[in-house]
Amino acid sequence: MPMNLDAPLPLLGGLSPQTFMRRHWQRKPLLVRGGAAGWAGQMPRQALFELAGREDVESRLVAQTAKGWQVQSGPHGRLPPVKRSGWTLLVQGVEAQWPAARSLMDAFRFIPEARLDDVMVSWASDGGGVGPHFDAYDVFLVQIAGRRRWRIGRQTDLSLRDDTPLKILRDFEPEQEWVLEPGDWLYLPPRWAHDGVAEGADCITASVGFRAPSMLELADQLLPRLLDPEDDEPPGLGLRYRDAGQVATLAPAEVPEALQAFAQEALRRAVSDPQRLARALGEWLSEPKAQQIFEGRSGDASAGVRLAPASRMLVDRWHVFFNGEAYRAGGRDAKLMARLAHARTLPGADVARLSEGARALVNDWLDWGWLWPNETTSAS
């Protein structure tokens, strides 16, 4: 059943999703006590340590020592003793590996899926943290186990220290401070400075992060896709430069203004087709993490299907995007594929209503591990 966006939500401390988005999203922080109680204790230390030892999982070890801050990238075959103070293990993309992290991420899907990035889970010994810093994106900081003291502030001076491998603020000026217990969470808009320090052992915090691409990043990712040599040539881009009116010149090294204008027109035409641009954007936004490996699951689609935890599925008015691939769909197939994307599951009765071609795609996605049959309940 679709979420009622105007109804109070326990996760949000009684606010409705609409109210949260209007009052807080990208505007001001929010602390909710006990809103994530259902996830307390659901990401145990040993499981996190095992993930950090894998080649296909991104992780970092951060420690504050007498020699200063030290950072080591994974995989981590050995970790410091848990009783040693001042160290933190950070594991990215845990939603792809651990069901509780996936369900935590899904709890915030009243925000567009295209903005959701991943769940990073940190384990910290007493005094562990990564220093005062700020993020360029929104973040929900959910306390899973132990206690963490958070200090936050609207930092105006964003200059960083130059004596550490971490992006730590040079002059952090906190304005508010809380200790979060298991089940508490804190929302921070972009560029709010924050510093979290574990108080006691076994401090586990999950960070639900969001994508906020810059225009430069979008241009870098989309232009190559718009000009994919395997695609049909965009309309008008086959036109070659001509300069029948060019006069003789005494400044041969000067780039002609007409050629500059021609180049501008070429770029304008490359992005002028809204469907091509939408396809390029959807393909990029739906790409899974680079190190992600999918494994096919046995079973069929008769009982329904659901997205593998690491799968990303999006839709627009023209396309269905699945793990970086774009598909065209129309009519009933488009509606049912959109239902699968929005709910991340599709009942068997709806699978049976798909066209023969769409059902063949579903079977391919099962073979590739992008979808799981609904009867599959084990964690990856």
Side-chain angles (χ1 to χ4, degrees):
M1 180 180 296
M3 179 186 300
N4 183 345
L5 299 178
D6 294 307
L9 192 63
L11 172 71
L12 300 177
L15 296 179
S16 70
Q18 292 286 28
T19 301
F20 169 80
M21 297 300 286
R22 186 174 63 251
R23 292 182 184 175
H24 294 277
W25 182 249
Q26 301 224 316
R27 293 178 177 84
K28 61 181 180 179
L30 176 66
L31 172 67
V32 175
R33 297 289 188 183
W39 288 274
Q42 294 300 307
M43 301 174 203
R45 176 183 70 193
Q46 189 56 39
L48 197 64
F49 285 8
E50 290 174 2
L51 285 178
R54 288 171 43 173
E55 293 277 356
D56 62 335
V57 175
E58 182 183 351
S59 62
R60 288 176 296 157
L61 178 63
V62 178
Q64 191 173 17
T65 70
K67 297 180 180 180
W69 291 93
Q70 296 182 348
V71 181
Q72 180 184 348
S73 297
H76 301 283
R78 297 185 63 182
L79 293 167
V82 296
K83 293 184 179 180
R84 181 183 298 174
S85 63
W87 68 274
T88 298
L89 177 68
L90 306 169
V91 182
Q92 298 284 160
V94 181
E95 79 286 347
Q97 311 295 340
W98 200 251
R102 179 71 248 185
S103 69
L104 177 63
M105 189 171 179
D106 288 345
F108 294 99
R109 289 184 78 237
F110 54 83
I111 300 164
E113 178 87 6
R115 289 280 271 115
L116 281 164
D117 188 11
D118 71 352
V119 177
M120 180 186 73
V121 180
S122 69
W123 182 93
S125 65
D126 185 32
V130 297
H133 63 285
F134 69 94
D135 298 314
Y137 48 82
D138 308 83
V139 64
F140 292 90
L141 302 163
V142 183
Q143 196 63 22
I144 303 298
R147 305 167 78 239
R148 186 180 292 273
R149 181 176 299 275
W150 285 104
R151 298 182 298 154
I152 71 170
R154 291 166 294 185
Q155 192 84 10
T156 56
D157 178 8
L158 298 179
S159 58
L160 303 177
R161 290 173 52 177
D162 57 10
D163 60 345
T164 169
L166 296 169
K167 294 182 178 180
I168 294 178
L169 289 164
R170 185 184 303 277
D171 296 304
F172 177 48
E173 299 178 0
E175 301 172 4
Q176 295 173 282
E177 182 176 330
W178 306 280
V179 174
L180 269 62
E181 306 279 350
D184 297 342
W185 62 263
L186 173 65
Y187 163 72
L188 294 175
R191 300 174 75 86
W192 270 75
H194 50 288
D195 183 26
V197 178
E199 294 199 344
D202 271 338
C203 174
I204 300 178
T205 306
S207 302
V208 182
F210 291 80
R211 306 178 74 167
S214 67
M215 285 190 173
L216 178 61
E217 184 180 6
L218 283 170
D220 180 60
Q221 293 293 330
L222 300 187
L223 282 174
R225 287 174 167 82
L226 288 168
L227 301 175
D228 189 336
E230 296 184 1
D231 290 345
D232 294 334
E233 190 175 83
L237 285 187
L239 183 66
R240 288 194 178 275
Y241 178 67
R242 299 182 63 188
D243 56 356
Q246 175 67 53
V247 298
T249 179
L250 292 174
E254 184 173 325
V255 178
E257 291 185 5
L259 184 51
Q260 293 175 346
F262 186 81
Q264 285 189 321
E265 178 63 13
L267 290 177
R268 188 194 68 79
R269 293 191 183 195
V271 301
S272 64
D273 185 335
Q275 290 193 40
R276 292 180 70 93
L277 185 59
R279 190 190 70 177
L281 179 62
E283 287 176 347
W284 178 58
L285 289 173
S286 65
E287 282 187 343
K289 298 290 185 180
Q291 70 273 18
Q292 181 60 47
I293 298 174
F294 291 93
E295 296 181 1
R297 295 290 175 121
S298 59
D300 58 47
S302 60
V305 294
R306 57 194 174 98
L307 270 63
S311 284
R312 296 178 181 270
M313 192 173 192
L314 303 171
V315 295
D316 67 17
R317 58 186 293 189
W318 299 290
H319 308 93
V320 173
F321 304 103
F322 203 178
N323 287 344
E325 299 290 335
Y327 303 88
R328 296 297 294 265
R332 178 187 293 173
D333 283 349
K335 292 179 181 178
L336 292 172
M337 289 295 185
R339 187 174 300 173
L340 172 60
H342 294 317
R344 294 186 64 86
T345 186
L346 193 67
D350 282 340
V351 173
R353 296 172 61 209
L354 290 167
S355 68
E356 183 178 349
R359 288 199 304 273
L361 264 181
V362 166
N363 288 328
D364 286 342
W365 294 339
L366 282 168
D367 290 341
W368 300 342
W370 294 7
L371 291 178
W372 291 356
N374 268 345
E375 64 266 25
T376 301
T377 57
S378 60
S380 62

